[in-house]
Every structure is written in C-alpha cells, then in structure tokens.
Amino acid sequence: MRWYVSIGAVLVAGMLASGDVAGVAAPGPGTQTGRVAEKESTPSVDIELIIAVDVSYSMDMDELAIQREGYAQAIVSKEFLQALKAGPNGKISITYFEWAASNDQKVIIPWRVIDGPESADAVSAEIMKTPVRRASRTSISGAIYFAIPMFDENPHRGLRRVIDISGDGPNNNGTPITPARDAALEKGIVINGLPIMVKEPSYSTMDIENLDYYYEDCVIGGPGSFVVTIKDREKFKEAIRTKLLLEVAGRTPDRPIVRTAEREPRVSCMIGEKIWQDRWGR
C-alpha cells in the first residue's frame, strides 16, 4: 500500500482515542523451555521493533544526517510518548542498526526498553552521538536475515515483532529479497517499509522509479504491513515520526493493501540485481 504521509492532529487523535493496540498472534514457544519459554508466554512490551536503516553510498550525507535526526527526534516527541502509553503494557523494546552490503550491518542501539521520557531521551541521545557513516552496495535481504535472529536475543517478548526497514534503492547484493522476506514472515515477523524517493533516479546511484511499488510488492509483508513513502526531503522527519507512531500504536493507514500473492509484482523483485549485472557484469 502506497501512502503519502501527513502527521496532523487527526492522525494522532485517531491512534490514541481508543488506547487499544492491534496485536498479531505470535508463534507458540514449541519446544523452548526455561527463560525463553517464559518470555514467549508472558509478553512484557507492546512491540519488539527493529529499526534497520540504509547507509549505502546512494544516500548522501545530508540524507543520512536527516534520517538519524528523524528517528532521534521521533522517539522523544510528545506524540510518540502518548502512543507509547496508550498500549496495554505502556512500553516497547527497540533496537537500531545500519546496513549496506550483505555482510555489512552495524548495531547502533542494542535492545532497549522505552517506557517514558527518560528512557526515550537516552536512546535518542545514543542515536545522535554515533558518527554517520556510508558503505557500499545495497542488501535489503542481508538486513532482513541479520534482523531475524535479533528477536531471539531480546530478553523482552512483545505482542508484535516488526522490522522497520528504510532504503533508497532495490536489493543489489546478497541473496534475492523475496526469500529473505518470506523467512521473516514464516516466523510471524511483520516487515514495514520506508522507501526514500527524494532524488531523481540516476545511473550512478542505482535508484529506480517506483521504489514504493518495489517495497510494497517485494519487501514488506505480514499482517497489517505498510509502506510510508518519502518523496519530499522537507517531510523526511515527519514521515519517520508518522511511521513510528503507527507501529507503536499497532495501526495502519486506512487503506487496504493488495497482497502480492494475488498478482505479479509491478516492479521485478530482481531489478536491482539486473541493473548491477548490466552495468558492471558481476
């Protein structure tokens, strides 16, 4: 579902009015025992949220800085803290990592619980103090495969497990994107997308037209999954804040999503790999 964001009072009011959170049934504990089994049976946070952000060279330094600031400011915003307290547990567990190539992921914030202004301020400050970096290639699949086992490392079980993945280009490194997406969905994990489309597609950056369609048809998945598209640099931070509000509140934009199983993807899920092969022959 393509959705162009606006964070007005109506959105916030709609998210917070009822105070309830739409839960997604988590997989049963199976044969797990001890601490893990207890964690599975007694959710203590409303969402386990992995924020996975693109730092590939196609992102310019200004975009990377705005992206960092956007997440840091969103976490301490009044709207975010209100949405946090509206949940049944009133707290979330969050981790933040940066990614580029299939073997290039760097955890910036290990798993932390945010339960109010003080913990939100601490996470926000830690995001901002880490130097901004850039790296080569774009492996969305690598980011997803890196994220999946992180949920097992989290000591806090949530009502929902979500990977929030942002990027400004298609997968062009590592395994294809759809098997990675499907591996996450099989574990009951929801993937939401934040396609960044603030620049015109160019030969040098591997950008493509209709990146939002690519994210909708090839990247996101799971109950209630959605895409928030950024097409205006001035609304970059607003989009990030809106997306986090929706995720924490367990809500989605009020438009139905057409499942990819019902039709062929509008953009080839191998388009990034094809462009790379055509240009560099490897």
Side-chain angles (χ1 to χ4, degrees), residues 230-242:
I230 305 176
K231 288 192 172 183
D232 185 342
R233 189 183 293 262
E234 298 303 315
K235 295 184 178 181
F236 206 126
K237 294 180 182 179
E238 178 182 329
I240 291 172
R241 186 166 70 254
T242 299

Side-chain angles (χ1 to χ4, degrees), residues 148-223:
I148 290 172
M150 293 181 75
F151 288 109
D152 295 330
E153 301 165 4
N154 183 14
H156 300 277
R157 179 67 171 122
L159 297 171
R160 294 169 288 125
R161 290 179 166 182
V162 177
I163 300 172
D164 176 339
I165 191 159
S166 65
D168 71 341
N171 193 77
N172 64 41
N173 179 245
T175 63
I177 182 61
T178 52
R181 176 197 62 192
D182 294 345
L185 301 189
E186 288 174 2
K187 292 183 174 293
I189 298 167
V190 173
I191 302 174
N192 293 328
L194 188 75
I196 301 165
M197 304 172 65
V198 297
K199 297 192 297 284
E200 289 294 324
S202 71
Y203 182 90
S204 62
T205 62
M206 292 281 296
D207 295 338
I208 63 170
E209 294 183 2
N210 297 322
L211 181 66
D212 45 357
Y213 291 161
Y214 176 85
Y215 262 72
E216 289 172 16
D217 294 353
C218 306
V219 179
I220 70 167

Side-chain angles (χ1 to χ4, degrees), residues 21 39-40 49 63 87 105 141 148 178 192 229 236 277-278:
V21 174
K39 169 190 162 185
E40 293 289 336
L49 179 62
E63 288 173 341
Q105 299 89 25
S141 60
I148 290 172
T178 52
N192 293 328
T229 303
F236 206 126
Q277 178 68 28
D278 289 346

